[in-house]
Amino acid sequence: MSKAFPHMGLNASGEVKGACPHDCPDTCSLVTTVENGIALKVRGNPDHPHTQGVLCTKVSRYTERTYHPERVLHPLKRSGPKGSGRFERVSWDHALGDIAQRLQSIAAKDPEAIVPYSYAGTMGLVQGESIAARFFNKLGASLLDRTICSSAGTEGLIHTLGGKVGMKAEFFAESKLILIWGSNSITSNLHFWRLAQEARRRGAKLVCIDPRRTETADKCDEHLQLKPGTDAALALALMHELIVNNWLAHDYLAEHTLGWDGLRERALRWSPERASEVCGVTVEQIRSLARDWGTMSPAAIRLNYGMQRVRGGANAVRAVACLPALTGAWRHRAGGMLLSSSSMFPVDHAALRCPELLAGRTPRTINMITIGDDLLRPASPAFGPAIQALVVYNSNPVAVAPESGKVVAGFARDDLFTVVLEHFQTDTADYADYILPATTQLEHWDVHASYGHTDVLLNRPAIAPMGEARPNTEIFRELAQRMGYSEPCFAQDDLSLCRSAFGDRVDFDRLLQQGYASIEMADAPFASGGFPTPSGRCEFFSERLARQGLDGLPDHLPNHETAGTSAKYPLAMISPPARNFLNSTFANLRSLRDIEVEPILEIHELDAATRRIVSGTVVRVFNDRGEYHCKAQVSARARRGVVNGLGVWWRKLGLRGTNVNQLTSQKLTDLGRGPVFYDCLVEVEAA
Ligand SMILES: Nc1nc2c(c(=O)[nH]1)N[C@H]1C(S)=C(S)[C@@H](COP(=O)(O)OP(=O)(O)OC[C@H]3O[C@@H](n4cnc5c(=O)[nH]c(N)nc54)[C@H](O)[C@@H]3O)O[C@H]1N2
Ligand SMILES: Nc1nc2c(c(=O)[nH]1)N[C@H]1C(S)=C(S)[C@@H](COP(=O)(O)OP(=O)(O)OC[C@H]3O[C@@H](n4cnc5c(=O)[nH]c(N)nc54)[C@H](O)[C@@H]3O)O[C@H]1N2
Ligand code: SF4
Ligand SMILES: [Mo]
């Protein structure tokens, strides 16, 4: 085995070190046991401090996914109408030749009519945007604004802390107070939950801030079950109480923050009484949380992206990100906050993507969350050419993008040429002209940063590619060659790309040997300021925003679709992740689907009673954008007035071939042009 695949790095006991590729903050270190070229099992690396030998249920089943009988293992060409899911097997040569020809003929008129569509199916830097980005840069295709997850929160952080920076994850174990804010850690950040448990054993208090009574909320000491999209109001009221009780670090405020006078004035307008009305939590809950934040130390916030999928998402992140500076929490290594650690990694994106291949062109940008509208848009001077070709990889837009009625109508266009690189015949792949079989994480090289800790991980292939599957990189190299692209950068191999990702800023030999390497950072990075903002301070007031004519201070912005404003659609719907799926990935794995059973809508007993709904009733959930059928679950997890449609199921596995995104809108967040999945009004009735 090690002779046949000498590059794979099997050790004597037949184990290969890798990295979990999924869009999850934990970025676990994997150990795959291989025998006779077959991966027998995947487990968590016991040596990696963050993984501690533990994987979530999903990825401990990774071999089931890799060897799944429904893996796409050969290139497929559509043989029925779009969306019918009928395909025939063709050779790589036929598929790549035809695709290159089709793309070339479109590009000859206008390359911007071609759009790449990708996200974080793999978080790998190499199988993500390396050769693929080079290919589209050379082509001059439209650029893609990759906003679907985190762009509002990212903007919020940039304008407050200066980037996606924060506490070192492991020090949460030493905190005395942890606010788990907009995050269901047990579901989506399991290894952080382990740290929170450790803190708790040492006497810490855990407070969950979430409109859903999640399994994480169940296990915290307190739960503030606020209305969706009201986090900024809560944060401002907390500031109000910190001010009136003088729970402030005046010296930290004076030395390391910008715009305190303005923020102070704004916060004083947010009495707990006012915020209580907006947020739907009691005045006493707000006062008590403020007292905890103002008087307990070290105090820390684990924020997650769940709270920024609403109109005011970026402002909400801004408001929350101000809180640690008010009390000087950053002075302690176990104090401060973490939303994402991404900006701590010195990734050399230019080395991977080769923007110089654009050769001075600045193609238009398509926002991935408005793909529904954009696929249906005719050519115009403002928009540019109608979209004629889509190349999809690492993403399943037909399931995950908002307002799927329009997304489906767009993908169903007969005059649209669609190529999908995939492991499985997803909802999106059903609409492809060609499906190209891609390798999984066990079959290719990659290198990973993380957004929940600060280690770089290397992923070595453990087994040879299944069937005729090829790494994304290889597929784009082959296409480049058929398009006549002769730049040497198209010949760079995957191991060399892994090296390029960090250049000499990460010890690659250590990665090869150990599988992971930590990024250097101070234990308490902002103990004496030094934020990566223009002023070097925590910016309560953002000059940069003010210069754009925007509010320089954070504020509460009500949802686009605020509950109580529509008689027709009185219920707010959020659609957070199901524990055993990762976005839409794993929805087709029998063993995991058996745990989730079927798509459900959690509804509060009073909301259910007035609609004659009981648990198990098939319900029609609807608004002006469409309707979705699933089973109701009358549940204490749902707050009154808010229904929880757990996502993201494959449409074709749902009751009538739709999922929650049939109802979500393509409206945008306040900053970052992000999606508002959790800012959505609906009505529910027994079907
Ligand atoms: N098992 C599993 N793990 C995952 C994922 C998955 O699908 N499944 N998804 C991954 C991805 S893509 C990401 S981006 C990360 C982070 O993923 P997130 O989507 O942030 O996931 P959660 O941590 O579940 O956070 C969502 C929580 O926010 C709550 N929420 C909804 N609206 C609001 C609001 O207005 N205010 C507040 N305070 N809370 C709100 C939801 O009820 C939910 O409990 O997790 C990743 N991990
Ligand atoms: N209603 C609602 N919608 C949501 C969300 C929500 O909370 N509610 N969450 C949103 C969020 S946070 C995100 S991040 C997006 C996620 O959206 P996506 O990034 O599209 O995530 P997935 O649905 O997991 O689809 C990833 C696909 O990539 C494929 N893939 C994995 N690895 C590879 C590879 O190496 N090569 C190739 N070619 N393919 C690969 C997988 O098989 C999978 O089908 O969804 C968003 N949509
Ligand atoms: S999905 Fe997250 S918790 Fe599960 S193995 Fe991957 S990184 Fe670890
Ligand atoms: Mo995400």
Side-chain angles (χ1 to χ4, degrees), residues 287-519:
R287 292 224 160 93
S288 151
L289 181 59
R291 185 177 315 112
D292 287 346
W293 186 256
T295 60
M296 294 174 79
S297 172
I301 301 172
R302 183 60 169 105
L303 198 60
N304 213 333
Y305 289 113
M307 50 82 80
Q308 46 98 65
R309 297 190 182 114
V310 293
R311 174 181 167 230
N315 264 276
V317 167
R318 292 206 66 211
V320 175
C322 293
L323 287 169
L326 265 71
T327 53
W330 290 113
R331 286 186 165 146
H332 198 293
R333 70 180 191 176
M337 66 165 277
L338 179 66
L339 168 54
S340 161
S341 54
S342 297
S343 305
M344 317 281 232
F345 291 87
V347 183
D348 191 346
H349 289 295
L352 291 170
R353 299 175 186 171
C354 301
E356 66 278 8
L357 292 167
L358 280 169
R361 296 167 294 181
T362 44
R364 69 160 169 200
T365 299
I366 298 290
N367 187 342
M368 69 189 300
I369 64 171
T370 55
I371 192 67
D373 278 342
D374 289 343
L375 281 174
L376 298 173
R377 238 184 263 283
S380 74
F383 180 61
I387 298 174
Q388 289 174 53
L390 266 180
V391 183
V392 182
Y393 52 103
N394 303 339
S395 185
N396 184 9
V398 170
V400 304
E403 204 173 356
S404 20
K406 288 196 175 158
V407 181
V408 167
F411 271 82
R413 270 174 45 199
D414 262 325
D415 59 340
L416 179 74
F417 179 64
T418 304
V419 179
V420 177
L421 285 62
E422 252 301 349
H423 299 150
F424 291 102
Q425 196 173 324
T426 59
D427 289 333
T428 305
D430 278 345
Y431 289 88
D433 291 283
Y434 281 99
I435 309 177
L436 302 178
T439 45
T440 68
Q441 191 76 343
L442 299 190
E443 302 153 72
H444 56 226
W445 282 101
D446 218 325
V447 69
H448 290 252
S450 168
Y451 59 104
H453 59 68
T454 36
D455 295 339
V456 174
L457 270 71
L458 182 70
N459 184 72
R460 289 170 179 269
I463 57 169
M466 300 275 297
E468 292 185 280
R470 293 180 180 176
N472 292 342
T473 44
E474 188 56 27
I475 298 172
F476 284 106
R477 268 185 217 108
E478 295 265 351
L479 271 178
Q481 197 201 347
R482 280 176 174 76
M483 305 277 283
Y485 301 165
S486 56
E487 287 80 354
C489 70
F490 287 106
Q492 191 179 2
D493 70 31
D494 286 5
L495 182 55
S496 161
L497 285 163
C498 287
R499 281 183 193 274
S500 307
F502 294 95
D504 52 15
R505 284 163 291 191
V506 167
D507 182 350
F508 201 76
D509 291 330
R510 194 189 183 93
L511 275 183
L512 282 168
Q513 190 202 329
Q514 181 175 262
Y516 59 89
S518 298
I519 293 294

